[in-house]
Amino acid sequence: MAKHNPQGKNLFLETIVYGLLIIGVIVIILPILYVVMTSFATEKEYLTRGFFIIPHEFTLEGYSYLLKNGSFIKAFKNAVEITVIGTFINIVITTLMAYGLSKKYIKGRSFLNFIVVFTLIFSGGMIPTYLVVDSLGLMNTFGALWFSTAIAPFNLIVMRSFFTRLPDELFDSARIDGAGEWRILFSIVLPLSKAAIATFTLFYMVYNWNTYFHAILYLHDNNKWPLQVFLKLMLVEGDADFGQQEIQGVNFTHSARMAAILITALPLLCVYPFFQKHFNKGMLLGSIKD
């Protein structure tokens, strides 16, 4: 009678798992590597070779063309302004509202929490939101992007849950020492909330940097369009129709398009390592207890 060999079975399963992981890594890395290498290739090589990983001749023509293009520079500046100011507005309003809703003695707290959860399930819709933005005079301004999405209900709920988990003894001792709510918030709550704030700052940064639909919906002036709209024009339509910066009859080369993709992704790739150490911890905070 044959003996059961658990070690051989485990080795077989580990081989399958590692093999699948290697295949998954290749599937993920290969397109990224192709985009990176194509951005350094000449147009002639791209047209003649088709798919390749390592170009025969490296060139910076695509990057040089983009950095000299006024439309690209303007779109990049718009994206930076939208992201920096928008993220600041998002995190300030979310933090203040979450801190207020975490206090059980606030009158009407349950009703306000219900409204937040309700908006998480049922949104106002595109047309009502558009009418509100228009009635407030925010059309064709960056304020339409900032204030129409100032709070993400999910982020607010998680941050409120995190504030709820802070021990009441901290607040009681601070009040005994004469600290007010603003002093408690800035001196006690915020220092203890670095992980949560860093996590949601990253979420809001990614959302603001990648904004596209709201940009084409609320911004009628082409000169105010952010980088994602410019990238869509490059990749889909082939040229950039940006008002006075319009390039008549000139199509971007494939290396310039790939370079634009990399430059668009680069800022978030540079920022993410600074938030990574807080990311995992921040995702777990507030998820256990409401």
Side-chain angles (χ1 to χ4, degrees), residues 4 35 39 55 95-96 99 110 124 132 136 169-170 201 216 260 289:
H4 181 64
V35 171
S39 68
T95 301
L96 292 177
Y99 178 69
S110 299
V132 170
L136 293 175
E169 290 78 6
L170 287 174
T201 298
I216 62 176
K289 176 184 176 183

Side-chain angles (χ1 to χ4, degrees), residues 72-82 142:
F72 177 81
I73 299 299
K74 182 177 296 184
F76 190 89
K77 290 181 179 179
N78 292 340
V80 171
E81 182 177 353
I82 291 171
F142 291 156

